[in-house]
Amino acid sequence: MHGPVSPGWLLVVLCAATGAYCLLRMRSAVEEQRRSAGGEALMGFGMAAMAVPAAVATPPRWAWIAYAAVFGAAAIRELWAARRSPHHLHHLVGAFAMVYMASVMATAPGQHGHVGSGVPPVTGIFLLYFAGYVLRSGARLLPVAAMAGGTRTSAGDTRTSVGGTRTLGWGDRPELSRACRLSMAIAMLAMLVTL
């Protein structure tokens, strides 16, 4: 996770921006979206903190244990939420990946950024999952020729429904939510590769 300085800072910025957008999504009128956005904001800011280059700050062992505890609690919450929505299963896998990375960093504090400090089969499973998620999410972001029962502007900011046109706020735009999840999955891949 703590590799070269420039890519590390790019990951910090990407994850922090994603976390900030997820905070904006928490203002949505849709309750499920608010719940989902809260978990994604925690993930984005947690990943931003973990991606800070080791040349700038090397957290002590207790900090990695705290990360593992926080994301362990998040995993329990997502497991409970997965009863209502299968989308939370992705959040559960992400929380487990964060617990795994924090645990690896806590047990191998002198090896930050050295390949081989994780358990290869576990790292491989997470890499396969997130690579598949990135490919699937990226394909879902491709433009669709026409929307059934409605129109979409080039910016994707209006939808026509039976009752008329409804303007979507920044927190309710599904394509931005998908792009947010995609960017976090790409960042997770980058962090796992450096384990």
Side-chain angles (χ1 to χ4, degrees):
M1 285 180 295
H2 291 286
V5 175
S6 293
W9 282 120
L10 290 173
L11 272 177
V12 169
V13 169
L14 174 70
C15 294
T18 301
Y21 175 70
C22 291
L23 285 179
L24 180 65
R25 285 180 43 224
M26 289 180 70
R27 295 175 37 196
S28 172
V30 180
E31 182 181 346
E32 180 58 31
Q33 180 146 317
R34 284 192 310 267
R35 257 191 228 125
S36 177
E40 291 170 0
L42 173 67
M43 184 70 67
F45 289 124
M47 289 171 63
M50 289 177 89
V52 172
V56 175
T58 302
R61 185 174 189 269
W62 64 264
W64 295 116
I65 294 169
Y67 277 122
V70 166
F71 284 101
I76 292 169
R77 181 184 175 278
E78 295 302 336
L79 182 61
W80 185 255
R83 296 174 307 119
R84 291 186 311 268
S85 170
H87 169 71
H88 288 278
L89 292 174
H90 171 68
H91 291 190
L92 179 65
V93 173
F96 279 141
M98 293 293 281
V99 168
Y100 169 68
M101 289 188 293
S103 299
V104 166
M105 299 309 272
T107 58
Q111 297 184 20
H112 296 299
H114 295 287
V115 176
S117 57
V119 179
V122 177
T123 304
I125 289 169
F126 282 127
L127 284 170
L128 285 173
Y129 173 81
F130 285 104
Y133 186 85
V134 164
L135 292 173
R136 183 176 147 260
S137 296
R140 290 182 69 198
L141 282 174
L142 294 174
V144 178
M147 290 179 52
T151 59
R152 181 155 134 176
T153 65
S154 60
D157 58 359
T158 60
R159 305 280 191 267
T160 302
S161 61
V162 175
T165 301
R166 173 175 62 103
T167 302
L168 297 177
W170 282 100
D172 292 322
R173 296 175 65 157
E175 66 277 6
L176 290 178
S177 299
R178 286 187 201 116
C180 172
R181 290 183 197 112
L182 175 63
S183 65
M184 281 198 292
I186 291 169
M188 187 71 78
L189 273 172
M191 293 170 76
L192 285 163
V193 164
T194 62
L195 273 184

